PDB file of all heavy atoms in Angstrom:
ATOM      1  N   ILE S  94       7.939 -29.491  60.304  1.00 93.00           N
ATOM      2  CA  ILE S  94       8.833 -30.017  59.264  1.00 93.00           C
ATOM      3  C   ILE S  94       9.010 -31.519  59.458  1.00 93.00           C
ATOM      4  O   ILE S  94       8.862 -32.034  60.565  1.00 93.00           O
ATOM      5  CB  ILE S  94      10.215 -29.327  59.263  1.00 93.00           C
ATOM      6  CG1 ILE S  94      10.938 -29.525  60.607  1.00 93.00           C
ATOM      7  CG2 ILE S  94      10.094 -27.855  58.928  1.00 93.00           C
ATOM      8  CD1 ILE S  94      12.432 -29.242  60.525  1.00 93.00           C
ATOM      9  N   ASP S  95       9.328 -32.187  58.371  1.00 89.00           N
ATOM     10  CA  ASP S  95       9.664 -33.614  58.454  1.00 89.00           C
ATOM     11  C   ASP S  95      10.971 -33.765  59.215  1.00 89.00           C
ATOM     12  O   ASP S  95      11.902 -32.981  59.019  1.00 89.00           O
ATOM     13  CB  ASP S  95       9.851 -34.186  57.043  1.00 89.00           C
ATOM     14  CG  ASP S  95       8.543 -34.191  56.269  1.00 89.00           C
ATOM     15  OD1 ASP S  95       7.482 -34.138  56.928  1.00 89.00           O
ATOM     16  OD2 ASP S  95       8.588 -34.226  55.029  1.00 89.00           O
ATOM     17  N   LYS S  96      11.025 -34.760  60.072  1.00 87.00           N
ATOM     18  CA  LYS S  96      12.304 -35.040  60.735  1.00 87.00           C
ATOM     19  C   LYS S  96      13.230 -35.750  59.748  1.00 87.00           C
ATOM     20  O   LYS S  96      12.954 -35.845  58.569  1.00 87.00           O
ATOM     21  CB  LYS S  96      12.065 -35.906  61.965  1.00 87.00           C
ATOM     22  CG  LYS S  96      11.388 -35.161  63.119  1.00 87.00           C
ATOM     23  CD  LYS S  96      11.362 -36.042  64.345  1.00 87.00           C
ATOM     24  CE  LYS S  96      10.466 -35.438  65.416  1.00 87.00           C
ATOM     25  NZ  LYS S  96      10.333 -36.329  66.579  1.00 87.00           N
ATOM     26  N   GLY S  97      14.322 -36.240  60.212  1.00 87.00           N
ATOM     27  CA  GLY S  97      15.199 -36.971  59.297  1.00 87.00           C
ATOM     28  C   GLY S  97      16.348 -36.119  58.819  1.00 87.00           C
ATOM     29  O   GLY S  97      17.129 -36.503  57.953  1.00 87.00           O
ATOM     30  N   ILE S  98      16.433 -34.906  59.342  1.00 93.00           N
ATOM     31  CA  ILE S  98      17.654 -34.110  59.176  1.00 93.00           C
ATOM     32  C   ILE S  98      18.091 -33.726  60.573  1.00 93.00           C
ATOM     33  O   ILE S  98      17.312 -33.812  61.529  1.00 93.00           O
ATOM     34  CB  ILE S  98      17.444 -32.852  58.290  1.00 93.00           C
ATOM     35  CG1 ILE S  98      16.344 -31.937  58.870  1.00 93.00           C
ATOM     36  CG2 ILE S  98      17.091 -33.254  56.863  1.00 93.00           C
ATOM     37  CD1 ILE S  98      16.253 -30.581  58.170  1.00 93.00           C
ATOM     38  N   GLY S  99      19.331 -33.298  60.715  1.00 93.00           N
ATOM     39  CA  GLY S  99      19.842 -32.942  62.034  1.00 93.00           C
ATOM     40  C   GLY S  99      19.212 -31.663  62.555  1.00 93.00           C
ATOM     41  O   GLY S  99      18.669 -30.862  61.787  1.00 93.00           O
ATOM     42  N   SER S 100      19.295 -31.472  63.875  1.00 94.00           N
ATOM     43  CA  SER S 100      18.677 -30.278  64.453  1.00 94.00           C
ATOM     44  C   SER S 100      19.418 -29.010  64.023  1.00 94.00           C
ATOM     45  O   SER S 100      18.811 -27.948  63.879  1.00 94.00           O
ATOM     46  CB  SER S 100      18.628 -30.381  65.980  1.00 94.00           C
ATOM     47  OG  SER S 100      19.933 -30.409  66.512  1.00 94.00           O
ATOM     48  N   LEU S 101      20.720 -29.108  63.794  1.00 93.00           N
ATOM     49  CA  LEU S 101      21.452 -27.910  63.367  1.00 93.00           C
ATOM     50  C   LEU S 101      21.048 -27.529  61.935  1.00 93.00           C
ATOM     51  O   LEU S 101      20.930 -26.349  61.610  1.00 93.00           O
ATOM     52  CB  LEU S 101      22.959 -28.136  63.441  1.00 93.00           C
ATOM     53  CG  LEU S 101      23.520 -28.299  64.861  1.00 93.00           C
ATOM     54  CD1 LEU S 101      25.029 -28.521  64.818  1.00 93.00           C
ATOM     55  CD2 LEU S 101      23.204 -27.086  65.722  1.00 93.00           C
ATOM     56  N   GLN S 102      20.831 -28.534  61.094  1.00 93.00           N
ATOM     57  CA  GLN S 102      20.343 -28.259  59.728  1.00 93.00           C
ATOM     58  C   GLN S 102      18.942 -27.648  59.782  1.00 93.00           C
ATOM     59  O   GLN S 102      18.647 -26.679  59.091  1.00 93.00           O
ATOM     60  CB  GLN S 102      20.308 -29.555  58.917  1.00 93.00           C
ATOM     61  CG  GLN S 102      21.702 -30.094  58.592  1.00 93.00           C
ATOM     62  CD  GLN S 102      21.643 -31.475  57.973  1.00 93.00           C
ATOM     63  OE1 GLN S 102      20.880 -32.323  58.431  1.00 93.00           O
ATOM     64  NE2 GLN S 102      22.452 -31.691  56.946  1.00 93.00           N
ATOM     65  N   ALA S 103      18.111 -28.238  60.630  1.00 95.00           N
ATOM     66  CA  ALA S 103      16.734 -27.748  60.741  1.00 95.00           C
ATOM     67  C   ALA S 103      16.713 -26.309  61.266  1.00 95.00           C
ATOM     68  O   ALA S 103      15.870 -25.500  60.872  1.00 95.00           O
ATOM     69  CB  ALA S 103      15.935 -28.659  61.663  1.00 95.00           C
ATOM     70  N   ALA S 104      17.671 -26.010  62.151  1.00 95.00           N
ATOM     71  CA  ALA S 104      17.691 -24.680  62.777  1.00 95.00           C
ATOM     72  C   ALA S 104      18.018 -23.578  61.783  1.00 95.00           C
ATOM     73  O   ALA S 104      17.698 -22.410  62.017  1.00 95.00           O
ATOM     74  CB  ALA S 104      18.699 -24.664  63.922  1.00 95.00           C
ATOM     75  N   THR S 105      18.661 -23.930  60.675  1.00 93.00           N
ATOM     76  CA  THR S 105      19.095 -22.900  59.725  1.00 93.00           C
ATOM     77  C   THR S 105      18.356 -23.007  58.393  1.00 93.00           C
ATOM     78  O   THR S 105      18.824 -22.533  57.368  1.00 93.00           O
ATOM     79  CB  THR S 105      20.620 -22.992  59.484  1.00 93.00           C
ATOM     80  OG1 THR S 105      20.934 -24.335  59.092  1.00 93.00           O
ATOM     81  CG2 THR S 105      21.392 -22.660  60.737  1.00 93.00           C
ATOM     82  N   LEU S 106      17.190 -23.606  58.443  1.00 91.00           N
ATOM     83  CA  LEU S 106      16.400 -23.784  57.211  1.00 91.00           C
ATOM     84  C   LEU S 106      15.732 -22.511  56.724  1.00 91.00           C
ATOM     85  O   LEU S 106      15.700 -22.230  55.525  1.00 91.00           O
ATOM     86  CB  LEU S 106      15.250 -24.772  57.470  1.00 91.00           C
ATOM     87  CG  LEU S 106      15.438 -26.247  57.236  1.00 91.00           C
ATOM     88  CD1 LEU S 106      14.122 -26.943  57.538  1.00 91.00           C
ATOM     89  CD2 LEU S 106      15.854 -26.502  55.798  1.00 91.00           C
TER      90      LEU S 106
END
Side-chain angles (χ1 to χ4, degrees):
Chain S
I94 60 163
D95 293 339
K96 288 187 191 175
I98 58 171
S100 64
L101 293 180
Q102 290 171 317
T105 54
L106 269 182

